[in-house]
Amino acid sequence: MSLVTLQSVKKDFGIKEILIDASLSLDANDKVGLIGTNGSGKSTLLKMIAGIEPIDGGQILTNSGSKVIYLPQQPDVDENHTVLEQVFADSGEQMSLVREYEEISDKLAHYPEDNQLMSRLSAVMQRMDTTGAWELETNAKVILSKLGITDFNAKVGTLSGGYRKRIALATALLSEPDLLLMDEPTNHLDALSVEWLQSYLNRYRGALLLITHDRYFLDKVTNRIIEIDRGDIYSFAGNYSYYLEKKALAEESVASSQRKFQGVLRRELEWLKRGPKARSTKQKARIQRIESMRETEFKQGLGKVEISTVTRRIGKKVIELENISKSYDGRTLIENFSYEFSPEDRIGIIGGNGAGKSTLMNIITGKVEPDRGKVDIGATIYIGYFDQHSDDLLAALNENQRVIDYIKEEGEFVKISDGTQITASQMLERFLFPGNQQYAPISKLSGGEKRRLFLLRILMSAPNVLILDEPTNDLDVQTLAILEEYLEDFAGCVIVVSHDRYFLDRTIDTVFSLEAGGNIRQYPGNYSVYLDYKKAEEEKAQQTVEAKEKPKNIEAEKSDSSLKKTDSKKKSKLSNWEKREFSELEVKIAQLETEKADTERAMANAPSGNYTQVQKLYEKVEELKQAIDAATERWMELAEIES
């Protein structure tokens, strides 16, 4: 069943034609990855399908019974909502029931003997069972926790942009639409959260249309790739790896056809130059065909970013960190860390959100002073720093400045790797900024194009130490592939902070893992090798635990054997001690049942939002259940002997 159909859709922004005559259909089982260079119109296409961006021609047909949810890169949220309120904002009756339950529970905490409140609570709980509100709340907390959010009562306004994006992502997933439109959903997620989201979307029953730079993610989640290339849409059945294979074959086929066409045209032109007399009908038709061939235009291969800037000479001394430490608000991020960077280093820095990755980068670049220790930078070192904070980056750009003028501030001419000089305009063309864009204001560029422009300026400054803090955010997969090739030949030190597994595998040979307590552990190899090390460490730890448990198990087996021998010699009647135990167990079981009921009541009456207290009460209920089961089992054994 088709959920959305585009028929001859057109979209033009004046300086760039986004869609020329695009037709596309999205079906219920589609898991589609949308790719294309920055500024090609990927986000615009999602907005048009969502009904947010108008079209200039054609039509978009949406199945009347289909629910479509759009998750933008910068979602709108209510800063006055708590995390849970924001997630449940569109949940209607279910959200109202959850709120009512929380309010009544809060009142019962102050007035536990109020029978009217107890009756209301019972009625609300029954309605929550009927509408599935319990399940909704549980699912919301699970999803939020998997995305790294544990304080469900925090005000959204107090959270960072990255956490707001996660809340919006959780809201979109909980809504379970027929078609989910996602623009860079993996941005601001750490590796574990990306792995979880990947697994979740693999099980997702609805259709997906997503934009992402994460190529492993594309490979695992999608079953179809759609590419936007200069106003045209191309569809490839299969994941990203399949797309790369078919794209290469298609480009080779087009190139071959173009070569054959040019060969035929050349021979025809040579015939024409010999001055044939156009007397016959055949000769006239041949001349007309040649004229038609001369007017034929082939669409050139997809433009690719070309990076070939030179680097400065780098000495033996690069950057030395000596016993550096850094804490914020009593929390240690880096503790007594030392390292000497070499000119050949390719370092990848990983860790959870808030672990201190950007802090370490800022200490290295001198933006932040360590609490202890020192940073010594070599005399010949020139650092190029590509910062992850897009908001700060974009705010620093003069939106009214022309693109060409921004680049000329770095230099009118650029020396490239082969020693020749090219103009700033030619360098912009290599970075996929054609002439009409070069003289347009920066405000006309997309977010990804602004990031690419900033990257160009950094590389034009000819750094010999390149620090990339989340470089894959907002850069298209084509630019990332070229950047990876550039880094392979870069004559200097490279330090990368990234959650992009594919990018790390391509660019680094050492991993710095920021762990609890400010400890920074070093692992040789790329990210996949690091994962192998971690898996081996976990298996070794598990084996150690099992080895410690083995003696206990042997003792337990001996004890069981002894008990079996005793059981075989059991008397036909209970001893006086067993009779006393039998009667005491009846009383004990009743007491345990009463205590369990009281604890469950306390759990229901726990103050709204006090999840710590609820968790403790829940654990107590589980302990009481186990105690009741054990006592009941023993009582049944004794009852059998007595009978």
Side-chain angles (χ1 to χ4, degrees):
M1 180 185 71
S2 179
L3 300 176
V4 175
T5 302
L6 280 68
Q7 295 180 348
S8 301
V9 172
K10 296 177 176 61
K11 185 66 181 178
D12 193 341
F13 282 130
I15 63 170
K16 183 183 289 186
E17 202 169 19
I18 298 298
L19 294 177
I20 298 172
D21 186 21
S23 295
L24 171 69
S25 180
L26 296 174
D27 296 331
N29 296 320
D30 277 340
K31 300 283 192 298
V32 183
L34 182 60
I35 65 173
T37 58
N38 287 133
S40 61
K42 301 187 296 296
S43 295
T44 301
L45 178 57
L46 257 61
K47 291 176 184 176
M48 289 192 293
I49 293 174
I52 299 171
E53 182 74 32
I55 60 177
D56 296 331
Q59 58 181 340
I60 298 178
L61 306 174
T62 303
N63 189 306
S64 59
S66 299
K67 181 180 180 182
V68 179
I69 294 292
Y70 168 56
L71 177 67
Q73 288 195 49
Q74 304 296 332
D76 291 328
V77 292
D78 189 332
E79 295 189 354
N80 295 316
H81 275 167
T82 65
V83 171
L84 274 183
E85 286 173 343
Q86 181 62 43
V87 169
F88 291 140
D90 298 322
S91 299
E93 183 187 3
Q94 291 173 316
M95 180 57 202
S96 299
L97 289 172
V98 171
R99 283 179 175 170
E100 189 176 356
Y101 169 78
E102 299 285 357
E103 289 171 3
I104 297 172
S105 297
D106 187 49
K107 291 178 181 178
L108 274 171
H110 297 91
Y111 308 102
E113 304 301 324
D114 191 324
N115 291 329
Q116 188 175 359
L117 285 175
M118 285 294 294
S119 298
R120 283 182 58 197
L121 182 66
S122 177
V124 168
M125 290 170 69
Q126 287 179 2
R127 287 168 61 198
M128 288 178 73
D129 283 332
T130 304
T131 60
W134 287 115
E135 184 179 355
L136 180 70
E137 184 180 25
T138 301
N139 289 342
K141 291 176 181 177
V142 168
I143 290 175
L144 287 166
S145 298
K146 292 293 185 181
L147 294 175
I149 299 174
T150 54
D151 187 355
F152 308 131
N153 290 314
K155 288 287 185 182
V156 173
T158 66
L159 302 177
S160 67
Y163 278 100
R164 295 183 190 192
K165 176 71 178 282
R166 293 172 186 223
I167 294 169
L169 174 57
T171 305
L173 295 177
L174 280 167
S175 65
E176 296 187 340
D178 299 293
L179 174 60
L180 182 54
L181 309 172
M182 310 173 82
D183 196 345
E184 294 289 0
T186 62
N187 277 6
H188 308 294
L189 296 184
D190 57 33
L192 289 176
S193 296
V194 172
E195 289 277 0
W196 175 83
L197 179 60
Q198 179 178 293
S199 175
Y200 185 93
L201 293 180
N202 279 331
R203 302 189 306 270
Y204 185 71
R205 295 178 182 176
L208 298 172
L209 177 60
L210 60 92
I211 302 168
T212 180
H213 59 266
D214 190 324
R215 285 150 288 179
Y216 281 150
F217 193 82
L218 274 175
D219 244 9
K220 298 292 185 183
V221 173
T222 63
N223 57 22
R224 184 179 170 199
I225 296 293
I226 291 175
E227 179 183 26
I228 302 180
D229 179 9
R230 289 159 291 178
D232 292 328
I233 284 181
Y234 302 93
S235 181
F236 299 82
N239 63 7
Y240 183 68
S241 294
Y242 179 87
Y243 154 78
L244 289 177
E245 179 184 341
K246 294 301 178 183
K247 180 69 174 177
L249 291 173
E251 288 183 347
E252 177 58 34
S253 176
V254 169
S256 177
S257 298
Q258 189 170 358
R259 286 193 298 269
K260 290 177 182 177
F261 180 89
Q262 294 297 340
V264 172
L265 178 59
R266 185 173 60 253
R267 289 191 296 273
E268 291 294 286
L269 288 172
E270 288 172 356
W271 175 81
L272 193 61
K273 286 177 183 178
R274 291 198 296 267
K277 295 178 181 180
R279 292 178 181 174
S280 70
T281 303
K282 282 187 177 181
Q283 286 174 321
K284 289 181 180 179
R286 187 172 181 182
I287 291 171
Q288 289 174 353
R289 188 173 69 249
I290 293 171
E291 291 301 319
S292 176
M293 289 177 71
R294 293 175 74 172
E295 294 174 1
T296 300
E297 292 184 4
F298 277 88
K299 191 168 188 176
Q300 299 300 312
L302 178 65
K304 291 183 179 179
V305 175
E306 294 182 47
I307 305 177
S308 57
T309 57
V310 297
T311 56
R312 303 169 194 253
R313 184 186 69 83
I314 187 169
K316 291 183 178 179
K317 183 177 180 180
V318 182
I319 301 171
E320 296 179 0
L321 307 180
E322 185 178 335
N323 301 320
I324 63 167
S325 297
K326 187 67 182 178
S327 299
Y328 283 109
D329 300 325
R331 181 167 167 262
T332 301
L333 297 179
I334 303 167
E335 180 64 32
N336 198 34
F337 178 62
S338 298
Y339 187 79
E340 292 184 12
F341 291 92
S342 74
E344 300 82 21
D345 266 342
R346 297 289 188 271
I347 306 293
I349 298 175
I350 64 172
N353 289 305
K357 302 184 296 295
S358 294
T359 298
L360 179 57
M361 295 299 93
N362 288 329
I363 289 175
I364 292 172
T365 56
K367 290 186 175 183
V368 171
E369 289 289 327
D371 297 335
R372 296 185 303 277
K374 68 175 185 177
V375 179
D376 192 5
I377 299 177
T380 63
I381 298 306
Y382 188 90
I383 297 175
Y385 187 18
F386 189 70
D387 197 339
Q388 71 152 315
H389 300 292
S390 296
D391 293 341
D392 298 339
L393 161 66
L394 301 184
L397 295 175
N398 180 356
E399 294 282 304
N400 297 318
Q401 187 178 26
R402 294 188 306 179
V403 171
I404 186 73
D405 294 332
Y406 173 74
I407 290 301
K408 282 184 175 180
E409 287 179 349
E410 191 61 47
E412 293 277 350
F413 293 90
V414 185
K415 194 172 184 179
I416 58 177
S417 55
D418 63 6
T420 60
Q421 282 192 334
I422 63 174
T423 65
S425 178
Q426 288 172 317
M427 195 65 190
L428 278 167
E429 286 182 358
R430 289 180 173 223
F431 258 63
L432 302 188
F433 293 104
N436 60 341
Q437 270 194 311
Q438 293 180 21
Y439 290 90
I442 291 174
S443 60
K444 294 291 185 180
L445 302 181
S446 69
E449 286 174 319
K450 291 174 184 176
R451 296 268 293 176
R452 189 181 343 125
L453 184 67
F454 185 63
L455 174 62
L456 169 59
R457 181 153 172 175
I458 289 173
L459 298 180
M460 282 179 61
S461 68
N464 48 25
V465 173
L466 197 52
I467 297 178
L468 306 173
D469 192 356
E470 295 292 359
T472 63
N473 285 0
D474 299 326
L475 289 181
D476 57 76
V477 293
Q478 291 91 340
T479 301
L480 289 175
I482 303 301
L483 178 59
E484 288 159 0
E485 292 176 9
Y486 171 78
L487 293 178
E488 286 181 6
D489 300 322
F490 180 74
C493 175
V494 177
I495 305 170
V496 178
V497 174
S498 181
H499 65 272
D500 189 317
R501 301 156 293 174
Y502 192 100
F503 189 80
L504 288 174
D505 276 352
R506 283 286 312 271
T507 58
I508 68 168
D509 54 28
T510 302
V511 171
F512 285 179
S513 175
L514 275 66
E515 301 179 355
N519 182 36
I520 300 179
R521 292 187 63 185
Q522 300 175 34
Y523 296 85
N526 61 17
Y527 186 73
S528 290
V529 174
Y530 158 78
L531 290 179
D532 290 339
Y533 274 109
K534 294 298 290 182
K535 185 177 179 181
E537 286 178 358
E538 290 171 2
E539 289 175 352
K540 186 176 180 181
Q542 182 62 32
Q543 289 171 0
T544 302
V545 170
E546 290 175 357
K548 289 180 179 178
E549 291 291 334
K550 196 170 183 180
K552 295 180 182 179
N553 293 338
I554 292 172
E555 290 299 321
E557 288 174 7
K558 289 181 179 178
S559 176
D560 289 344
S561 177
S562 176
L563 284 172
K564 286 177 183 177
K565 290 179 181 178
T566 304
D567 289 343
S568 65
K569 299 177 181 178
K570 273 185 181 177
K571 300 174 185 178
S572 58
K573 291 187 178 181
L574 296 176
S575 65
N576 291 333
W577 182 86
E578 288 170 332
K579 288 179 180 179
R580 186 165 62 252
E581 181 188 7
F582 184 58
S583 60
E584 288 174 352
L585 277 171
E586 293 178 343
V587 177
K588 182 179 180 180
I589 291 170
Q591 290 173 340
L592 288 170
E593 291 284 4
T594 301
E595 187 177 358
K596 174 174 166 287
D598 292 341
T599 307
E600 288 174 336
R601 193 177 301 110
M603 186 166 62
N605 296 335
S608 174
N610 193 339
Y611 297 105
T612 302
Q613 183 180 347
V614 171
Q615 181 65 28
K616 288 180 179 179
L617 291 169
Y618 173 78
E619 290 172 357
K620 186 177 180 182
V621 168
E622 292 301 307
E623 290 174 2
L624 289 168
K625 285 181 180 178
Q626 292 177 8
I628 291 169
D629 289 343
T632 303
E633 186 176 347
R634 177 59 177 160
W635 181 88
M636 291 176 68
E637 288 177 4
L638 296 174
E640 187 177 349
I641 297 171
E642 177 67 14
S643 61

